Amino acid sequence: MNILIVDDESLQRNLLAGFLAKQGYTAIEAASGEEALHRFMADAVGLVLLDHRMPDLGGDEVLERMKAINPLVPVIMITAYGAVDTAVRAMQLGADDFLEKPVDLELLLARIRAIEERFYIADDAARVEEAIDVESLPVRLIAVSTAMRQVLSLALRAAPSPWTVLIQGETGTGKELIARLVHLLSPRKQAPFVALNCAAVPEGLFESELFGHEKGAFTGAVNRRRGVMEQAHGGTLMLDEVGELPLAVQAKLLRSLQEQTICRVGGEQPIPVDVRIVAATNRDLKQMAADGEFREDLYFRLNVIKIEIPPLRRRKEEIPELIRFFLAKLDSPAVLDDQALQQLTKYHFPGNVRELEHILQRTVTLARSPRIGLRDLPPEIRDYRGQAAEGDLVNRLAEIERQLLIEALERHQWVQTKAATDLGISERVLRYKMERLEIVKRK
């Protein structure tokens, strides 16, 4: 991999270049922001090490311009010691990580390898087109859309690895289902899968829930209790809604993960634990870290392999199959007529798949006959007029962008290099937009 080192101090550049060369990387050096942008566009750069303070163009401006050229290339910002505000700003602008000077070379190598692993898996999932046998999976999943098949592709590749997985998605999209799939396809499948809903734990009981407690450790601790980390020993621990963890608890969790030991509340003896963490959240942890609401070091620890589950409104082609699945689960003979099915497909489902299941439970229970029509649907579904009526500008703009990209691709017989040139963007940015907008070649 080519790594672009941007620093106006030649000694620092030479030090980093020599170290990276020994690790098998190719170092490209730039002594200024302008030179860095020139090399960035001229060479196939896989990662950027960017100094924040430079005399001509500062690191923030260089970062913004690089991300405008290619938003997929990871950037590690190198800041002066203790410059927390600088780090926060860098992450807001799109930096993937930051390090303080003097640079700890072993820590740098660890961060590079974590980014490399994350991008390798993501690129692989986007590139591979092989069929996934959904029926053979150990959990029942509906994956008709391209977006969900990419989620499955990532999960299948992540499962055998030892790395931490971060699952992001709105409430009700099926994050725990994917977490269980990762566990059941991993070498830890015979060991326990333990899930902790962090949003449901009172703040004063987090340590006890995670690490356990000894008898008499606090009022009400009448017996010794094992925490979820100890219960999941040898297996997988899912931390659902991990963004709800208090900062003080985050620090203790990070230390336990680093040292692979815990200490029960009220105890003194360290207890070895071997757990794989699968974290899930409906919040933007990167932004929370930039805002000081989530520990950056814990975020980097959790965000090794990221799986993003799209909301149901972005994979509406799965709604008919999900309806069949839930009706079978209810053991119901009910059938939806065309009008009811069309209205359900139009609805935007803020509660996602879970909301669809609850709607069907209610409708089947209250319907007067097995044939469900428009009149049997709840009023908020029956009277829904579509997102355009709600002024959903974001979705309309995305659809316009999607149509423009498809027109350019069809104009050039789906040759991405030519379409990208026509659109005035790089081929890699085009691929990024195609993935984000779920654009696939029409057969």
Side-chain angles (χ1 to χ4, degrees):
M1 179 171 68
N2 294 335
I3 299 180
L4 175 59
I5 304 168
V6 188
D7 199 309
D8 60 313
E9 297 179 7
S10 59
L11 187 62
Q12 176 79 352
R13 291 198 313 274
N14 293 338
L15 172 67
L16 294 176
F19 174 74
L20 293 173
K22 290 179 182 177
Q23 310 304 320
Y25 298 105
T26 300
I28 303 170
E29 298 184 41
S32 68
E34 289 290 355
E35 184 184 356
L37 291 169
H38 174 74
R39 299 302 298 269
F40 186 75
M41 290 186 286
D43 298 300
V45 175
L47 174 69
V48 181
L49 303 181
L50 178 60
D51 186 31
H52 181 253
R53 302 188 69 176
M54 292 182 292
D56 56 347
L57 287 179
D60 286 350
E61 186 175 352
V62 174
L63 175 61
E64 280 190 287
R65 288 168 65 173
M66 283 182 173
K67 286 294 182 179
I69 296 167
N70 188 346
L72 295 181
V73 172
V75 177
I76 298 178
M77 185 74 85
I78 298 176
T79 68
Y81 176 77
V84 177
D85 291 343
T86 299
V88 170
R89 171 70 176 158
M91 292 183 69
Q92 289 173 336
L93 291 173
D96 295 80
D97 205 339
F98 74 93
L99 291 172
E100 293 178 334
K101 289 185 176 181
V103 176
D104 181 329
L105 296 178
E106 292 304 319
L107 179 59
L108 170 64
L109 182 60
R111 296 285 174 82
I112 290 173
R113 286 179 174 167
I115 288 173
E116 199 172 24
E117 180 71 21
R118 188 169 76 242
F119 274 76
Y120 169 78
I121 290 174
D123 286 347
D124 192 42
R127 187 174 62 248
V128 173
E129 296 291 341
E130 84 278 13
I132 298 171
D133 185 4
V134 177
E135 297 298 326
S136 69
L137 297 176
V139 297
R140 185 70 176 94
L141 284 167
I142 305 299
V144 177
S145 66
T146 300
M148 275 306 293
R149 294 184 78 80
Q150 287 182 355
V151 166
L152 283 185
S153 182
L154 264 175
L156 294 175
R157 285 158 177 75
S161 78
W163 312 122
T164 302
V165 176
L166 177 62
I167 303 174
Q168 288 192 297
E170 295 178 9
T171 299
T173 50
K175 296 188 290 293
E176 184 169 345
L177 207 58
I178 297 298
R180 288 185 180 275
L181 178 64
V182 169
H183 170 72
L184 291 171
L185 294 176
S186 76
R188 297 172 177 264
K189 63 184 178 182
Q190 302 299 332
F193 174 89
V194 180
L196 176 67
N197 183 356
C198 299
V201 179
E203 186 166 347
L205 295 179
F206 266 109
E207 286 188 56
S208 176
E209 287 291 331
L210 283 170
F211 312 124
H213 61 251
E214 298 288 352
K215 180 179 179 180
F218 50 83
T219 303
V222 294
N223 293 301
R224 170 187 287 178
R225 182 180 182 279
R226 295 191 309 151
V228 291
M229 290 191 71
E230 198 172 346
Q231 294 172 37
H233 179 67
T236 303
L237 173 60
M238 179 188 180
L239 295 175
D240 198 7
E241 304 303 343
V242 71
E244 305 301 323
L245 279 173
L247 284 168
V249 178
Q250 292 176 29
K252 293 178 180 179
L253 172 63
L254 179 64
R255 182 166 182 173
S256 292
L257 294 176
Q258 289 171 338
E259 297 181 357
Q260 295 187 310
T261 61
I262 61 163
C263 191
R264 298 190 189 112
V265 177
E268 298 179 354
Q269 186 67 34
I271 301 169
V273 289
D274 171 25
V275 294
R276 182 195 195 174
I277 299 293
V278 176
T281 182
N282 61 3
R283 303 180 68 182
D284 186 344
L285 292 189
K286 184 176 182 179
Q287 186 60 50
M288 289 179 68
D291 295 339
E293 298 174 3
F294 198 87
R295 287 186 64 99
E296 289 146 334
D297 43 9
L298 180 58
Y299 167 69
F300 295 132
R301 178 87 186 193
L302 298 177
N303 188 34
V304 177
I305 299 174
K306 178 157 62 175
I307 300 176
E308 295 194 43
I309 305 179
L312 186 56
R313 61 183 173 274
R314 279 180 45 203
R315 45 187 174 108
K316 287 190 173 182
E317 60 267 48
E318 293 180 345
I319 290 176
E321 187 65 31
L322 284 166
I323 290 172
R324 283 191 286 271
F325 170 72
F326 287 132
L327 289 177
K329 185 178 175 182
L330 291 168
D331 196 21
S332 170
V335 177
L336 276 71
D337 68 18
D338 290 343
Q339 276 191 313
L341 181 59
Q342 184 178 10
Q343 190 65 10
L344 277 171
T345 305
K346 185 191 298 183
Y347 185 59
H348 67 303
F349 288 104
N352 292 294
V353 179
R354 187 180 299 151
E355 182 184 11
L356 174 59
E357 182 178 14
H358 293 167
I359 287 169
L360 291 172
Q361 290 170 347
R362 171 183 171 181
T363 303
V364 167
T365 302
L366 300 179
R368 292 182 174 86
S369 76
R371 186 168 180 80
I372 295 172
L374 193 60
R375 69 183 185 281
D376 299 308
L377 297 177
E380 66 272 18
I381 312 288
R382 189 174 60 241
D383 300 333
Y384 184 71
R385 292 293 176 263
Q387 290 183 335
E390 297 178 345
D392 192 342
L393 181 60
V394 173
N395 280 340
R396 282 187 287 165
L397 288 173
E399 186 55 38
I400 291 170
E401 182 183 19
R402 188 175 191 276
Q403 191 58 41
L404 288 172
L405 294 178
I406 289 173
E407 288 174 3
L409 286 161
E410 289 181 340
R411 198 158 49 242
H412 297 285
Q413 290 76 49
W414 290 82
V415 178
Q416 293 180 17
T417 306
K418 293 181 179 179
T421 303
D422 189 4
L423 291 163
I425 59 178
S426 71
E427 186 179 354
R428 192 162 185 180
V429 171
L430 175 61
R431 287 199 300 270
Y432 165 77
K433 289 177 178 290
M434 288 176 66
E435 180 181 350
R436 177 171 60 83
L437 296 170
E438 298 178 27
I439 297 173
V440 293
K441 186 176 181 180
R442 295 170 180 172
K443 295 180 180 179

